[in-house]
Amino acid sequence: MPRYLKMAMIPPVTRISPRLIRILGCNPGPMTLQGTNTYLIGTGQRRILLDTGEPSVPEFIGNVKQTLRDERIVINDIIVSHWHHDHIGGVEDVLNVLENKDSCKVWKYPRTDAQEPVLLNANVLKNGQKFQIDGATLEVIHTPGHTTDHIILLLHEENSIFSGDCILGEGTSVFEDLHDYMNSLKIIQKLKPTVIYPGHGNIIQEIAQKAS
Ligand SMILES: [Zn+2]
């Protein structure tokens, strides 16, 4: 039996806290575990979506649409953690179900090793950039290693982080550059996050063990 089937089950949509809803990308596989975790962040009408799963996954897009309808919210910004397919692949599909498609901004940190993938409405993220919405102040932290463009988000209200593929909920992350990757882990360690919301796998609370 593949390893990813034995892990604690992640439901398709989870209200993790008043400021956080996790929507599973519904793209399970050996590299994505149970699928990509995407996160809707904020408490107000306008939310930020982190990552978008893979392209053409109707179940995921249906869950995004339903969640926006149930919560009466809109996605103001889409932030992608890095260029890998299972994180940026669904950007266009998500935009297509938004009533505010034209005003929703897509954000990504630039790659330094290769050409950028084509993204609709793409805006350039900067290290240290902050996003302020109701209930959430998010800070962009460049954490290369897994890829050159990888970023994590620090949620100031909780001192928690969204780790993308830098730290996974299960298994071990792969990386392009070990030196950069180790430096990025040190940056995360210094933040002393209370909780890690990973790009794949379950939420991590025992952080001292995982990051050291
Ligand atoms: Zn990745």
Side-chain angles (χ1 to χ4, degrees):
M1 181 153 94
R3 277 186 64 233
Y4 63 88
L5 290 180
K6 288 191 270 183
M7 294 155 188
M9 227 266 292
I10 297 177
V13 180
T14 317
R15 276 157 191 83
I16 292 169
S17 74
R19 61 164 67 90
L20 189 57
I21 299 171
R22 177 183 58 198
I23 306 177
L24 190 62
C26 300
N27 56 328
M31 292 305 288
T32 64
L33 307 177
Q34 297 180 59
T36 308
N37 294 322
T38 78
Y39 295 97
L40 262 177
I41 308 160
T43 57
Q45 203 219 343
R46 293 157 167 252
R47 308 281 170 104
I48 290 173
L49 178 70
L50 173 64
D51 285 334
T52 63
E54 288 183 35
S56 308
V57 185
E59 191 185 352
F60 166 66
I61 294 301
N63 288 336
V64 170
K65 220 173 153 179
Q66 189 66 44
T67 304
L68 297 179
R69 202 180 298 144
D70 289 350
E71 305 285 324
R72 298 181 185 187
I73 52 177
V74 295
I75 297 172
N76 211 41
D77 301 273
I78 297 173
I79 299 176
V80 286
S81 60
H82 63 294
W83 66 268
H84 283 165
H85 218 232
D86 55 324
H87 296 262
I88 68 161
V91 164
E92 201 171 337
D93 295 338
V94 171
L95 285 172
N96 280 335
V97 298
L98 301 183
E99 283 167 18
N100 61 324
K101 178 181 176 177
D102 294 334
S103 62
C104 176
K105 287 182 177 159
V106 181
W107 298 86
K108 190 191 158 305
Y109 197 92
R111 282 180 82 174
T112 54
D113 60 329
Q115 268 209 315
E116 293 294 326
V118 178
L119 278 180
L120 291 175
N121 303 338
N123 293 272
V124 172
L125 284 177
K126 294 191 179 71
N127 189 37
Q129 184 172 350
K130 284 194 179 144
F131 288 82
Q132 182 85 57
I133 48 165
D134 287 352
T137 310
L138 292 165
E139 184 174 345
V140 175
I141 302 175
H142 184 217
T143 48
H146 177 71
T147 57
T148 59
D149 63 346
H150 194 283
I151 58 103
I152 62 165
L153 293 177
L154 172 66
L155 175 60
H156 278 266
E157 284 79 358
E158 297 181 355
N159 200 50
S160 58
I161 61 162
F162 297 89
S163 62
D165 280 3
C166 196
I167 297 177
L168 303 181
E170 285 102 14
T172 309
S173 185
V174 290
F175 40 79
E176 289 174 350
D177 187 309
L178 177 61
H179 182 256
D180 284 353
Y181 181 69
M182 294 309 286
N183 274 342
S184 291
L185 287 184
K186 277 183 203 155
I187 291 170
I188 291 173
Q189 209 171 9
K190 275 193 195 143
L191 294 171
K192 296 191 169 52
T194 54
V195 182
I196 295 176
Y197 303 107
H200 305 273
N202 273 291
I203 297 167
I204 303 164
Q205 314 255 11
E206 309 84 34
I207 289 148
Q209 302 165 13
K210 193 86 187 178
S212 60

